[in-house]
Each structure stands twice: as structure tokens, then as C-alpha cells.
Amino acid sequence: MARTQLPLVGLLEEAILPGEERTFAVPAIDTVALVALSRVARDGKLPAEILAVTITSSVELPSLVTGRWGTTCRIVSVDAASLTLAGLRRGRLVAARGKEPPYTADVDTPDEDEPTPDTKALLSAAHLLFAALDEGAVPEPLDFHAPLRTALAAATRAVSGKSELAELTQHPLEEGIRRVALLLASRAEGRHAASELEAMLRQAMAKPEVPKALRQKLWSQIVELQKRLDLHDPAIAEEGDDLARLQRKLSQAGMPKLARETAKRELRLLRGMQSNHHDYSTYTNHLDFMARLPWQPDPERPIDLAAVRAALDRGHHGLEKPKRRVAEYLAVRKLGGENASMILCLAGPPGVGKTTIARAMAEALGRPFARVALGGVHDESEIRGHRLSYVAASAGRILRAIAEAGSASALVLLDEIDKIGEGRARSPMAALLEVLDPEQNPHFQDNFLGVPYDLSHVLFVATANDTSQIHPTLLDRLELCEIEGYTAVEKTMILRTHLLDRLRAEIGLPKTPAIEDDAVMALIDGYTREAGVRQLRHTLATVLRARALALVTRREQGEADAAGEEQAPPITQAEVEAVLGPPRFTKAKALGALPIGVTTGLSVGPGGGSVLFVEAATMAGRGELVSTGNLGDVLKESVRAAFSHVRAETSRYGVEPGRLAATDVHVHVPEASLAKDGPSAGTAIFAALVSALSGRPAPADTALTGELSLSGRVLAVGGIRAKLIAAERAGLARVVIPEANRADVPEDIHLDVTFVRTIDEVYRALFPS
């Protein structure tokens, strides 16, 4: 590195780089230095080179610029008003001295030769820099070859403002370019937002009428700015005036034109009304609700499917098919597909995690969560609200939930949609249809609000226990996602990985106790028979509370110490039985052989899958068939079809020919207080008839499900996963299901599953020769 002495000139917030030739007017140069150079030029003593540095004030010269980097320049021309320079090379100012300009500077210049880059290298360097800055990344100029240094400096100079330029000129070239890249990358998001807002404004100004979607985007930005800046109208009265505060809130709500005119009209009425007037509080409550209600959607956020999956996995073990279905549903919304406006309905028995799945969706999507309980709602006004003339008028549950969430883009959970009551005259079903219909909900009319409200940006998710109880017209608007329950393996994992730690923290035990496998299976099989884990949580909490009581008792008696508490023994099956008493449920195989004429079937109801028994009895008569047990029409037809098939093929199934002509048959399904329907009990009814007519018992450890046709084929049925889980809970060893349902069998079921296509295969599986 060579050191030279050069005259020093300061450029006010301007810069010149090697390879550039620029003319600087008086305001851009240290004026005193320019006058001195002009005088020297007139005397014919113009220096061959000078050092130009960027300054912000002339007071920095000469001593405050020590250590900075500048550019060694050749003076092209100079006069009293301007200075033209040609940049030569970079140099570091070691020291500067002098009492008047031009000052003298000691300059170190690097010993390097930078040839002019060719066109390809220049374009390549510029493209790389712009691409990196556009993506918000920081380029690494230290890796570039020397011939590209000048090209990269020029490209960086082209995108630099004053603040970036100071970083570029006051440091070594590599460090300056790195600092410029950092500054530009940090402002990339802000520039993008500003350019997006500017583009929307230009689009709005170019059209005679602003489109609805563009209006909503602009309003969302304006409302966000108002919240950030706390803007208010100076014409509004002081904060002590209730109507003034109300007017301020209304002015910031971003209401559409019709709602804004309604609010202005009511404000004028209130200003001319005494506060003790009987309508004063009604209008005040109405305007306050209008001000609290979010009218414009939040800025659209991208749907992160990875975050959705992570949130679902964090709170739910297993349930792979429902999780995948939720991810598919959100992927369609992300792509803006045709069914992006469909309403997802999580259907399944209690305790399987429907509500928590909806909460996880809201968390992953970054949307506020609101829950609307629909169980027992039997009046239209609960959904649509009461008119202002009604005493104690209020908005409907939908708009109240959105107002509480504070977002027009909230995720609203319609909980227990299958338990809506049916009124004679004012059924809530029609109002709910308007809420969920994408053709109607952009103009939803709430009686209390009095103006249309746009629900199209709200993400509705419904839950139901029994989809058969949902009105067919409403069901047509729902996208069903069935959650059939957990297997014993999944329940074991949930207990060990989720429930045990959470309950330990809630109860206050110093350390999470271990639990033996036998104790886990005792809790699952002996004390809980459910599709979900709610009762399992309650029973485990009972066991842990018993431990907490024992620990507090020992502490009071002075028998407990810290070491003993840290080494608490694991929970055993004996401890579970001592706390909870004898098991409430027993294994079906412990019953031994079933009576003749009795078989085990499987069903699905609002509580998930369950085991049911089918009984058949014979008596002397004239070949008549009787069926009882609160059976529906479809189930009665299954009984008739099974009886007719056995009657037509008596010799094949070991029934004495001619016996049915003198025998009456009675088929009964116990628990007659519960209504039963569906075709899936066809094979169980057939087995019960064969057992009763042939005198052979069916195996006690085997359950059947499948629809039976009159020709002897076994057809597919629904709810296979829930039925198999119920069979596993009941302690059965084998199930017989249709071959067409092979794909519905979960992998972690510990059962012997027999697949059949015809009723002959069912017969051979149950009554081997």
C-alpha cells in the first residue's frame, strides 16, 4: 500500500466512485475549498490529483474525516461555480492538516490494478446484486474477482440513496457494499408494502367505481394505520363527551356507505334526545355495537400448511386421516379453488378433539378464534338477533362472536350444529343456512344491526356428534371430516405423552409419576369405554388426586422428604383398583359361550362405535317373523331379507327342511329404549337366525358387521374404524367385515379381521364343520 500527499476536498452528501466522471455544483461542494481550487487554477498550479471524501458538514474538515475512505480524482475542470472530477481509485485518509483549504491529506492507496471489466462480467455482477437485494439477501462481494470490483461498486452506487451512499463511500469497498446490502435488505419489506399500497391507490383512482375486493384491502390498511397512529378528528369534542367518543370510534370502524349513513342518522337523533329518553340507551347500544364490530377483513395472510400440521400434531396424537383432510381443505383455500368457500364439519363422538382441532387451525392460520354454541338453540333470533323495537334487543350469536373476536376474518366454530332445536314457526335453520351459504352470507342481515354485514371472509368450522340429525339442506353445505375415535394404542400414547404431564401440573405433584402398562390398560379397558379420551382424563386425574392427598398427609405428619418425593413409585394396576374400585367393564371373552340364537354385532352412534347383541328365538307356529327392539325401517328390512335368505337356503345352513313352515321366529335387539336403524346388522341377524334354527351357538369372541343382500352377497358399510375400536374396547378377538371395507381397517388394531364377500363365507367363519 503506497502513501501519498494530496489536496483534500469535501463533497456535501455526494460521492464519486472510481470510473465515474461527475460535475458538482457549488451547493454540493465545500464552497471554501472550491474557491481555493479556482484560485490555484488561475495561477496555473492545478494539482494532478485530489482526494474527495463525503461529508455532511464543512466542520468535519480537516481532522474529523481521519480514517475514512475516499476517491482519488483527477480534476477535469474547475471554475467559481462547479467542479468536474474523474474518479481514479479508492484511498484511505490517514491524516489531514492545514488551517485553510485546500487541506493536505496523507492517503494510503492499495497496490492493485483493476482492469475495466467486460460487458458480460458487468451484467453478471449487476444481475447478481439486484437479484440478491430483491430477495432480501445480502451478497458477498468478497468472493468476487478483482475485475468485477468496479462493476459491483457502480451497480451498488445505482441503487443507493444518501444514507446508503455514506456507508459505501466512508468504508473500504467490500465493507461498504456489504453495509449497503444490509440496509437495502432491511428495508425490502417496507418498500414492498409501500409499493403495494401505492399500486392499490393507483388502481382505485383509475376506476370510476372502486371494486369491492380492492375497497376491502384498502380499508384494512387504513384501519391498521389508524390503530397504529391513533388518529382522530380534531373537530370531535373532548373525551368526556360520550357521543364524541362514540363518533370517534365509528369514524375509525371503516363501515360501508349504508352502515355509515345509518350511524350518522342515529347520532343526529341522539344529539337531539334527552339522556333519560326511553330510546336513548337502545340507540347508544346499537351504535356502540356498530363501532365494536369489525367491518373490514384483516390483511390476507398466507396459509402455512407446515404450521398447520405442526399445530395439529402438537395437540393431537394419531387421527392421521382427519389431519390430512384438514390440510387438504386448507390447501384448497390457499389455491382459491372452487370449493374454497365450503364449510368444514368435524363429525365424531364426544371427547375426540373436534374443538381443539378447530383451535389448532385458528392458531396455525393466525386468525382469532370464536366459539358459538348451538346446542339447544331453537329460535331464529338467536342467530339473526332481535329488532331494535324489542325489549332488551341484542345482536345474534354470530355477530356477537365476531365482535368479541375483533376480526372480520376470524375462525368461528359452530359447536354442536346437530343439536339445533326445531321450532314450529321461528326455526333457526333458515337463518343458519344464510350464514353458511357463500351466495348469501356476503349480505347477511342481522335484525339488530339493521344493515347488511359481509361474512364471506369469516372461516366457519362446524362440529357434530351425529350427522344424521343435521337437516339435509344444511348438511349439503358442509364438507364432512369424520373423526371416529382413538384406538387403544393411540390412547396409551396420549395418556403417556399428553395427559400425565398436564394433570400432574394441574394437581400440583412435584414430579410426574411413571405408570405401568398394566395400569394403563386397566384405565382404558376397565374404567372407560369411549371413543375419545375425556373419561380417561377424569379417571387418571382421580388416581393422581389420591396421590396428592397421600403426599400432603405425609408432609403434615412429617414423614415426607424431598428425596422420597422425587423417587415416587410408579402407578400400578393395584393402586388404580384401590382408588377407583372394581373395574366397571369386563372382557367379553370372560362370558364364555353365547346362548344359542345370540350373536354379537357392531354399530355406530353419536357416542362412537359400540357392541350390540342380536337375539333370535324360535317357537311352534306358522312360519311368521316378528322383530322388536325399537328398530327403524331399514333395520326391519334387513331382518326380513336375512330371514328370507335362510328360508330359501335351509339345507345349506344345517336347518331341517320344512321346519320353518311350522316355526315362528322372533328377532330382538336389546336396549329397546334406544332407536336403531341401518343395514349394517344384516350379517349379525343372519348368524343369529342360523344359530337359533340349527341349535349351534355362535363364538363369543367374534363380532360381525355388513349389509346382507337377498342373493347372499355381503355389501360394504360405514363406520368401520369406529366399530373396530369398539370391538377392541370390548375385548373381542375377531371381527368379520365385508371385503369392500378392507381399506378402512386401521393398521394399529389388535384384532383378527376376517374379510368376506358372500354369506357362505360368513357361515363357514362362524360355524365350521
Side-chain angles (χ1 to χ4, degrees):
M1 184 172 289
R3 178 168 297 182
T4 58
Q5 289 187 354
L6 298 174
L8 176 64
V9 173
L11 302 179
L12 287 171
E13 297 185 344
E14 291 286 350
I16 184 170
L17 294 176
E20 291 184 339
E21 182 174 317
R22 298 186 62 194
T23 299
F24 300 94
V26 171
I29 315 172
D30 178 25
T31 308
V32 180
L34 179 61
V35 171
L37 285 175
S38 301
R39 184 181 66 251
V40 172
R42 286 195 301 269
D43 296 339
K45 300 178 182 179
L46 191 66
E49 295 180 1
I50 65 170
L51 180 69
V53 296
T54 302
I55 61 174
T56 58
S57 173
S58 59
V59 298
E60 298 179 26
L61 298 173
S63 58
L64 296 182
V65 293
T66 300
R68 293 186 188 176
W69 283 73
T71 302
T72 301
C73 302
R74 177 175 57 84
I75 299 177
V76 178
S77 64
V78 60
D79 55 38
S82 64
L83 173 65
T84 302
L85 301 176
L88 299 177
R89 67 187 67 83
R90 299 281 288 165
R92 182 175 179 272
L93 197 155
V94 178
R97 56 191 176 276
K99 296 184 178 180
E100 60 182 26
Y103 305 105
T104 301
D106 294 335
V107 183
D108 283 345
T109 55
D111 297 326
E112 59 182 354
D113 185 17
E114 295 185 350
T116 304
D118 57 15
T119 306
K120 275 189 178 179
L122 175 62
L123 293 176
S124 174
H127 175 74
L128 183 61
L129 176 68
F130 289 131
L133 294 179
D134 186 56
E135 295 295 329
V138 179
E140 297 184 10
L142 289 174
D143 294 337
F144 293 125
H145 298 295
L148 297 180
R149 289 163 53 85
T150 304
L152 188 60
T156 310
R157 171 75 171 80
V159 297
S160 297
K162 288 185 177 180
S163 58
E164 292 90 356
L165 194 59
E167 298 290 346
L168 180 63
T169 57
Q170 296 179 12
H171 299 89
L173 184 60
E174 293 83 358
E175 177 67 15
I177 292 177
R178 189 184 72 82
R179 289 174 177 254
V180 170
L182 286 171
L183 282 173
L184 294 178
S186 66
R187 298 170 186 173
E189 185 177 352
R191 289 201 311 273
H192 175 72
S195 61
E196 183 180 7
L197 182 58
E198 183 180 0
M200 287 192 294
L201 289 172
R202 290 185 177 181
Q203 186 179 357
M205 297 297 293
K207 296 177 181 283
E209 183 176 351
V210 182
K212 178 182 176 182
L214 181 59
R215 182 189 297 272
Q216 290 174 338
K217 286 184 178 180
L218 284 171
W219 258 117
S220 64
Q221 299 288 343
I222 292 171
V223 170
E224 187 65 26
L225 286 172
Q226 286 179 334
K227 291 179 180 177
R228 286 281 185 179
L229 302 177
D230 194 25
L231 299 177
H232 66 279
D233 186 357
I236 297 177
E238 295 297 326
E239 290 293 326
D241 189 347
D242 291 339
L243 293 183
R245 288 200 304 269
L246 194 56
Q247 182 180 348
R248 176 184 174 183
K249 291 166 62 178
L250 290 169
S251 66
Q252 295 178 349
M255 295 183 292
K257 183 177 180 181
L258 182 57
R260 194 164 58 250
E261 291 176 351
T262 301
K264 288 181 179 178
R265 184 173 61 252
E266 292 186 5
L267 274 173
R268 286 196 298 269
L269 287 174
L270 284 174
R271 292 191 185 281
M273 188 183 297
Q274 296 293 330
S275 60
N276 57 359
H277 192 279
H278 60 86
D279 284 337
Y280 188 87
S281 61
T282 301
Y283 285 117
T284 303
N285 293 337
H286 182 238
L287 289 175
D288 181 69
F289 182 75
M290 292 182 73
R292 287 190 298 112
L293 195 63
W295 291 89
Q296 304 298 332
D298 296 338
E300 189 173 348
R301 298 180 180 177
I303 296 177
D304 188 351
L305 292 181
V308 173
R309 294 190 185 98
L312 292 175
D313 291 338
R314 187 165 55 249
H316 304 81
H317 181 82
L319 300 181
E320 295 304 325
K321 286 186 178 180
K323 289 178 183 177
R324 179 177 177 82
R325 183 66 192 87
V326 169
E328 292 171 350
Y329 172 80
L330 295 176
V332 171
R333 292 189 67 92
K334 183 173 184 177
L335 295 175
E338 293 183 358
N339 66 338
S341 58
M342 290 294 291
I343 311 302
L344 187 65
C345 179
L346 304 172
V352 296
K354 300 185 295 296
T355 302
T356 51
I357 285 179
R359 288 185 183 274
M361 288 175 61
E363 174 191 347
L365 296 175
R367 292 178 179 237
F369 177 81
R371 176 179 173 270
V372 178
L374 297 177
V377 172
H378 61 276
D379 196 327
E380 176 193 9
S381 59
E382 293 287 337
I383 305 297
R384 204 185 292 277
H386 300 276
R387 299 189 182 278
L388 289 179
S389 58
Y390 187 81
V391 177
S394 63
R397 297 192 180 200
I398 302 297
L399 290 194
R400 290 208 307 269
I402 294 174
E404 291 171 4
S407 171
S409 302
L411 188 148
V412 176
L413 177 65
L414 304 176
D415 209 5
E416 310 289 358
I417 200 171
D418 57 326
K419 296 180 174 59
I420 295 179
E422 286 290 338
R424 293 184 177 180
R426 295 171 54 84
S427 171
M429 192 62 63
L432 200 58
L433 290 175
E434 183 183 355
V435 169
L436 300 182
D437 189 346
E439 299 296 330
Q440 301 181 59
N441 62 16
H443 312 285
F444 175 68
Q445 289 276 359
D446 186 276
N447 292 329
F448 179 78
L449 188 63
V451 293
Y453 186 81
D454 187 0
L455 293 175
S456 60
H457 298 279
V458 177
L459 179 57
F460 288 105
V461 177
T463 67
N465 296 136
D466 186 3
T467 55
S468 65
Q469 300 298 318
I470 303 176
H471 194 280
T473 309
L474 180 58
L475 187 62
D476 184 59
R477 286 165 169 77
L478 302 177
E479 187 80 9
L480 291 181
C481 176
E482 295 187 359
I483 306 175
E484 296 175 332
Y486 298 102
T487 64
V489 175
E490 290 173 341
K491 287 185 178 182
T492 301
M493 291 298 298
I494 291 171
L495 185 146
R496 291 189 180 279
T497 59
H498 295 284
L499 297 182
L500 202 57
D501 287 334
R502 292 180 185 177
L503 290 174
R504 192 277 310 167
E506 291 178 8
I507 291 173
L509 291 174
K511 186 179 180 181
T512 302
I515 183 169
E516 295 182 353
D517 293 340
D518 291 342
V520 174
M521 296 312 299
L523 289 170
I524 295 173
D525 293 331
Y527 298 92
T528 59
R529 289 277 178 92
E530 56 174 346
V533 293
R534 189 171 293 161
Q535 293 300 321
L536 179 61
R537 187 182 191 278
H538 294 165
T539 53
L540 180 61
T542 302
V543 175
L544 294 183
R545 283 195 298 269
R547 284 216 163 188
L549 175 61
L551 176 60
V552 172
T553 302
R554 291 198 305 272
R555 285 180 175 178
E556 291 178 349
Q557 296 175 355
E559 299 176 0
D561 58 351
E565 293 175 6
E566 290 293 327
Q567 300 175 354
I571 299 173
T572 63
Q573 182 178 357
E575 180 180 353
V576 170
E577 294 181 355
V579 174
L580 301 177
R584 297 170 54 196
F585 306 102
T586 57
K587 297 284 188 180
K589 59 185 178 183
L591 299 176
L594 290 174
I596 293 175
V598 179
T599 55
T600 306
L602 298 170
S603 66
V604 176
S610 61
V611 172
L612 59 82
F613 294 96
V614 179
E615 301 175 348
T618 60
M619 63 209 75
R622 296 177 295 179
E624 295 181 354
L625 175 66
V626 178
S627 57
T628 58
N630 197 0
L631 310 182
D633 293 338
V634 177
L635 189 51
K636 289 180 180 179
E637 291 175 0
S638 297
V639 174
R640 172 58 64 182
F643 180 72
S644 297
H645 180 78
V646 173
R647 190 172 183 178
E649 303 286 347
T650 53
S651 58
R652 182 186 301 181
Y653 303 125
V655 180
E656 297 178 5
R659 182 182 177 185
L660 282 175
T663 303
D664 289 344
V665 178
H666 186 169
V667 176
H668 178 71
V669 182
E671 298 186 31
S673 61
L674 301 177
K676 309 169 191 70
D677 204 0
S680 62
T683 54
I685 295 170
F686 161 80
L689 290 173
V690 171
S691 175
L693 292 171
S694 64
R696 289 174 292 175
D701 62 348
T702 302
L704 304 93
T705 184
E707 180 179 356
L708 173 64
S709 72
L710 195 59
S711 61
R713 292 183 298 123
V714 179
L715 307 179
V717 294
I720 290 295
R721 175 184 168 88
K723 292 175 180 178
L724 295 181
I725 292 174
E728 187 180 54
R729 287 200 307 264
L732 300 174
R734 184 173 64 155
V735 292
V736 179
I737 67 173
E739 173 68 31
N741 289 115
R742 181 184 289 271
D744 300 326
V745 177
E747 296 179 356
D748 53 354
I749 286 290
H750 297 163
L751 292 170
D752 180 11
V753 182
T754 302
F755 301 98
V756 295
R757 292 185 176 87
T758 64
I759 200 64
D760 288 339
E761 296 176 5
V762 176
Y763 175 71
R764 290 195 297 271
L766 265 68
F767 306 103
S769 57

